């Protein structure tokens, strides 16, 4: 029987590529989304992947949503914490609302989601928890104190939970992408992309969402059982941690 993989923010961008990649690798995939019903329904029609809507920043919503996923598909063996938002602005202009929104979706969600699958994984002596951080959680980024703080928090969470879970057959890892050619990044003016972004990337190009998906598929598989508490950096050499 195929293992169940749950991907938050799994219907668009990097999350969509991850969901597709896991399905191609033989997993039964559930993808969550927060608000774009049109995009989620289109994704479901194109892929046949199950979609579920809830706010990953809400603990009770995560608890109910995961219970629904497990009732429909079976126990969650692989959790990919991918959901994320940005609310950019320099700190002296940042509102408390924009700070809290980013911390809630990008960091609180790790607790909300992982807490609601970890007991089942421990009972079954198996699990894969993979969280998507960012290059900006490693190096910081102008105008992103909220985002950088949240994504840096992913690393500490990953290392702590990896230590707690290793003896129970659960691996816990992070992936830190650099600039990836999602719809959002490709909307950047070409001049800015060519003069401000690409020159910083030694390989000379943007990454592709599918390249991050392949990292997830590897860490989710049986061959990665000896890797835990690690961060897989995928940024084309832009920042070498």
């Amino acid at each position: 029987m195929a293992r169940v993989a749950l991907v938050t923010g799994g219907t668009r961008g990097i999350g969509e590529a991850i969901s597709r990649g896991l399905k191609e690798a033989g997993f039964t995939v559930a993808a969550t989304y927060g608000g774009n019903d049109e995009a989620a329904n289109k994704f479901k029609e194109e892929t046949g992947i199950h979609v579920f809507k809830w706010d990953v920043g809400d603990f009770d919503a995560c608890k109910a949503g995961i219970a629904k996923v497990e009732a429909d598909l079976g126990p969650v063996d692989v959790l990919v914490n991918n959901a994320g938002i940005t609310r950019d602005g320099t700190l002296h202009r940042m509102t408390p609302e924009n700070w809290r929104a980013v911390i809630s979706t990008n960091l609180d969600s790790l607790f909300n989601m992982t807490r609601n699958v970890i007991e089942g994984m421990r009972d079954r002596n198996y699990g894969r928890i993979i969280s998507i951080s960012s290059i900006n959680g490693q190096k910081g980024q102008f105008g992103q104190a909220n985002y950088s703080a949240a994504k840096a928090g992913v690393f500490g969470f990953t290392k702590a939970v990896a230590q707690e879970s290793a003896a129970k057959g659960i691996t816990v890892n992070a992936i830190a992408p650099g600039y990836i050619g999602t719809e959002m990044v490709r909307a950047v003016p070409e001049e800015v992309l060519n003069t401000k972004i690409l020159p910083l990337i030694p390989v000379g190009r943007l990454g592709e969402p599918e390249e991050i998906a392949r990292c997830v598929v590897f860490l989710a598989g049986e061959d990665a059982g000896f890797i835990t508490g690690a961060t897989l950096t995928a940024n084309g050499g832009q920042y070498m941690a």
Side-chain angles (χ1 to χ4, degrees), residues 132 156 207 238:
I132 308 301
Q238 182 180 351

Side-chain angles (χ1 to χ4, degrees), residues 130-145:
I130 304 158
S131 299
I132 308 301
S133 182
S134 167
I135 186 176
N136 292 341
Q138 295 173 308
K139 71 176 186 61
Q141 178 62 36
F142 184 96
Q144 287 195 328

Side-chain angles (χ1 to χ4, degrees), residues 56-136:
V56 293
D58 182 320
F59 182 85
D60 290 334
C62 291
K63 183 176 181 179
I66 290 168
K68 172 65 172 171
V69 170
E70 295 196 327
D72 289 355
L73 304 178
V76 173
D77 285 319
V78 177
L79 170 63
V80 183
N81 291 308
N82 167 75
I85 62 170
T86 56
R87 297 288 186 272
D88 293 352
T90 52
L91 185 64
H92 66 283
R93 296 179 182 276
M94 187 174 291
T95 65
E97 291 75 19
N98 283 349
W99 173 270
R100 286 194 293 267
V102 170
I103 297 298
S104 176
T105 298
N106 296 19
L107 185 57
D108 290 349
S109 61
L110 270 68
F111 172 79
N112 296 340
M113 292 297 298
T114 307
R115 179 64 182 84
N116 282 298
V117 300
I118 194 71
E119 290 186 64
M121 289 180 175
R122 290 175 66 89
D123 289 343
R124 295 188 299 276
N125 290 299
Y126 184 88
R128 298 283 189 267
I129 298 167
I130 304 158
S131 299
I132 308 301
S133 182
S134 167
I135 186 176
N136 292 341

Side-chain angles (χ1 to χ4, degrees), residues 1-96:
M1 186 174 180
R3 294 195 182 278
V4 175
L6 175 56
V7 183
T8 66
T11 64
R12 301 175 65 194
I14 292 173
E16 177 182 355
I18 291 169
S19 296
R20 289 176 181 268
L22 287 167
K23 182 181 179 183
E24 291 171 4
F27 292 88
T28 298
V29 179
T32 81
Y33 71 104
N36 193 325
D37 294 320
E38 182 179 355
N41 289 330
K42 180 181 179 182
F43 167 81
K44 181 180 179 180
E45 290 174 4
E46 290 178 352
T47 65
I49 291 172
H50 308 270
V51 299
F52 299 83
K53 183 179 182 180
W54 73 76
D55 177 6
V56 293
D58 182 320
F59 182 85
D60 290 334
C62 291
K63 183 176 181 179
I66 290 168
K68 172 65 172 171
V69 170
E70 295 196 327
D72 289 355
L73 304 178
V76 173
D77 285 319
V78 177
L79 170 63
V80 183
N81 291 308
N82 167 75
I85 62 170
T86 56
R87 297 288 186 272
D88 293 352
T90 52
L91 185 64
H92 66 283
R93 296 179 182 276
M94 187 174 291
T95 65

